[in-house]
Every structure is written in structure tokens, then in C-alpha cells.
């Protein structure tokens, strides 16, 4: 029992698999994934996008492999990437074989869509030979016809039955390095399906609300669905599906994890919605700070509040605080204590420098025990 038991999350115990060098499941951190939207055959564009996603913090990145040109390019992409690459395969089993040989860390497939038992055998053997894992991807929008006829519509039971059928195909071939997703664009359907599947299997679960929508709407739906499941302790890896650039998916994914205290990366900003009491333009200030502090990876907190009503209280709980004052002069707090004031004109640059200095100090302090142990 922790000091604040209302914040405790009891995580579902799943077995652990490896996606390249990244552990998924078990006691490993919940990982954040995204997917490129460039033509995979365009090696430069794809690698450039992967690099931006890596900088945003992506742990695993998926690329589409719909044709032989894509799997041919995949070999070069895998070599250039700093994180494991998942090959997205839908129907043609040969693309899976080519992707495994090209070095894909994981194959995203529906075993039932691959074709005959012999073809499933070939894909499993290729995965085993190349040390690749498999993600079974069940989607409410592409359920098997027999399940739609049986249940009448996509429902939690249909998604789970599809997943269990696919799992059996792999387990019958003595393949166990797999994770599973049962995604839907309907938040209620997705959450219910994941809850049922979590009770039925011990494999790692890949969370997502598929086709969630644009940046704002998709973020809200993903935060509700993925956040609810994580709060229940369900989920080992997540992908936020947005009609937005993939690096934005990564940032939203980390914000969901940060809000639940599951993983911390970069600056956690506490800010007010602003009102007539504000001593500076809170909205534009927060936008500018979030943009300028994206390069910070060290977990730390920053409060930005427009006035002294809640500002001092929030500042006591953050590493660095800024509270609006009168006559263009604002109070800066360090480690919860009032420290000094800053003028309007210098405020942004000053706060950025303080955050960078704090991050460097934290990193140096963390490095000392490691050096002492060597």
C-alpha cells in the first residue's frame, strides 16, 4: 500500500516477449508505438519520419509492407532505425517472409488472413528463424464473415473469439512470442473487448482505439479508451491512432502515460485555462514553452499559472513554477519555494533556461550512482 493508495494501479500480469531489444509485457514499462505514413519504398522519407518519431520518444515503430518494393526497402530502414521496426502485413504471406528476412523485429498479421495452414507454417517458421515476434491485430472493421454472421455485428465477444482463433493458430505451431490487439473505433466496444481478452489470455496486449479521428477528437477518444484500460491495469504497449503526424501520436501517448503516473518523459506542464485575472498571456506562453521544451527528455514538472489564486499552491508541487503578477513582473518558484521575479520580456527565455538547467542537474545526479557502481 502506497502513501496515496487512490493512485495505485495494479497491473495485469502478462508474460513478456521481446520486440527486437525492447521487452513488452511482464514488468517491462508500457511502450509507446506509432506508425509511419510515408511510402515505405521511399527510404529517405520513411527514415526521416522515423527519426522524428524517435526524437519524440517512440519505443517501437510500425511501417506498412503492402508490396515487394516496401519489403525490399525495409532492410535499409531497419538498419537505419534506432528502435525496433514492426512490418505491417495484411494478406500476402510472402510479404511477411520477406519482412522477417529483412530484419523486422515483429510482424503485424492476422494469421487467419494469411491463407492455408502451409502458409501460416511458413510465416511462423520465418519469424522463428529471424527472431521476430508477431502481433495479432484484430479490428472491428475487418472481422471475419462467419463471426459477423454469428454475432450479427462487431461486439466484444466477436473480437475476442477472433483473437482466440488466431492465437490458437500460433500456439498449435509452438509459437508464443506474440502480442494481441482487439481494436475498434467505438470506445465502449474496444474497452469491453480488451477487458474480456485480458481475462482469457496471459499474452501482452497492444492497446489502441483505431480510426480515432483528428488530433483533438482522436486524442480525447484515445485518452478515454486507452487511459481507462491502463487505469484498470490492462495494457503493455499502446498506439494512439490519429489523423495527424505520427510524432504527435507519440507525444499524446506519453501524455496519457504521464497523466496516470505510469511513465514520465520530458516536462509535465501544469497550467491554468486563463481568465481575466491573468498577469500574462497564459495560453500563448504555454504553447511556446511546450514547443521550446520538446527536446527535454528528463522527467520534471513546470507550473504556469496566470495569477496568485492557485499559482503558489501549484508551484509547491512542481520543480519550477511561474505565477503572474502585476506591472509585468512575475514570480518564479524553484522546488516549491518563492525565489525571484522575472519581467515579461525575459520570461520565456528565462523559464526555458531554468528547465534546461534543472534537467541537466537531474541527469548529473542520476549519473553519479551509476559511475560509482562501475
Amino acid at each position: 500500500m502506497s502513501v496515496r493508495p487512490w493512485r495505485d494501479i495494479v497491473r495485469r500480469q502478462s508474460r513478456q516477449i521481446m520486440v527486437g531489444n525492447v521487452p513488452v509485457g511482464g514488468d517491462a514499462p508500457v511502450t509507446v508505438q506509432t506508425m509511419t505514413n510515408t511510402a515505405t519504398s521511399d527510404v529517405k522519407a520513411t527514415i526521416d519520419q522515423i527519426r522524428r518519431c524517435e526524437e519524440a520518444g517512440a519505443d517501437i515503430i510500425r511501417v506498412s509492407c503492402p508490396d515487394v518494393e516496401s519489403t525490399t526497402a525495409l532492410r535499409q530502414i531497419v538498419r537505419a532505425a534506432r528502435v525496433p521496426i514492426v512490418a505491417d502485413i495484411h494478406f500476402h504471406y510472402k510479404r511477411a517472409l520477406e519482412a522477417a528476412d529483412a530484419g523486422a523485429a515483429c510482424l503485424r498479421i492476422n494469421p487467419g488472413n494469411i491463407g492455408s495452414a502451409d502458409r501460416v507454417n511458413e510465416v511462423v517458421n520465418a519469424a522463428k528463424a529471424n527472431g521476430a515476434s508477431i502481433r495479432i491485430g484484430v479490428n472491428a472493421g475487418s472481422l471475419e464473415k462467419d463471426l459477423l454472421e454469428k454475432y450479427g455485428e462487431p461486439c466484444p465477444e466477436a473480437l475476442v473469439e477472433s483473437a482466440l482463433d488466431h492465437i490458437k493458430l500460433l500456439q498449435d505451431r509452438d509459437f508464443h512470442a506474440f502480442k494481441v490487439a482487439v481494436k475498434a473505433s467505438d470506445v465502449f466496444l474496444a474497452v469491453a473487448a480488451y477487458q474480456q481478452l485480458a481475462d482469457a489470455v496471459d499474452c501482452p496486449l497492444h492497446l489502441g482505439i483505431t480510426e480515432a479521428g483528428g488530433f483533438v477528437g482522436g486524442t480525447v477518444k484515445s485518452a478515454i479508451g486507452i487511459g481507462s484500460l491502463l487505469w484498470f491495469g490492462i495494457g503493455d504497449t499502446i498506439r494512439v491512432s490519429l489523423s495527424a503526424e505520427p510524432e504527435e501520436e507519440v507525444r499524446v501517448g506519453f501524455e496519457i502515460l504521464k497523466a496516470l503516473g505510469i511513465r514520465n518523459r520530458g516536462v509535465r506542464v501544469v497550467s491554468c485555462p486563463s481568465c481575466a485575472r491573468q498577469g500574462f498571456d497564459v495560453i500563448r506562453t504555454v504553447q511556446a514553452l511546450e514547443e521550446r521544451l520538446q527536446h527535454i527528455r528528463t522527467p520534471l514538472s513546470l507550473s504556469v499559472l496566470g495569477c496568485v489564486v492557485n499559482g503558489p499552491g501549484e508551484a509547491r508541487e512542481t520543480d519550477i513554477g511561474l505565477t503572474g503578477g502585476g506591472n509585468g513582473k512575475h514570480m518564479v518558484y524553484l522546488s516549491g519555494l518563492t525565489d525571484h521575479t522575472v519581467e515579461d520580456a525575459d520570461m520565456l527565455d528565462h523559464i526555458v533556461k531554468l528547465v534546461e538547467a534543472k534537467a541537466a542537474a537531474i541527469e548529473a545526479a542520476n549519473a553519479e550512482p551509476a559511475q560509482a557502481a562501475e
Side-chain angles (χ1 to χ4, degrees), residues 149-200:
E149 291 174 1
K150 177 179 179 180
Y151 291 99
E153 64 175 359
C155 62
E157 292 75 15
L159 268 67
V160 172
E161 184 170 334
S162 177
L164 294 177
D165 288 344
H166 291 139
I167 287 171
K168 188 174 186 302
L169 287 173
L170 298 185
Q171 289 179 329
D172 287 349
R173 289 157 177 81
D174 195 28
F175 190 88
H176 307 282
F178 59 84
K179 52 183 177 171
V180 184
V182 281
K183 294 185 178 183
S185 59
D186 182 304
V187 174
F188 295 95
L189 173 55
V191 170
Y194 275 111
Q195 288 175 317
Q196 289 186 23
L197 187 63
D199 289 336

Side-chain angles (χ1 to χ4, degrees), residues 84 129 145 153 158 168 171 255 270 276 295 316 321 334 342 355 360 372:
K145 290 182 179 179
E153 64 175 359
K168 188 174 186 302
Q171 289 179 329
E255 288 300 324
V270 177
H295 66 290
R316 281 196 297 269
L334 301 180
V342 63
V355 171

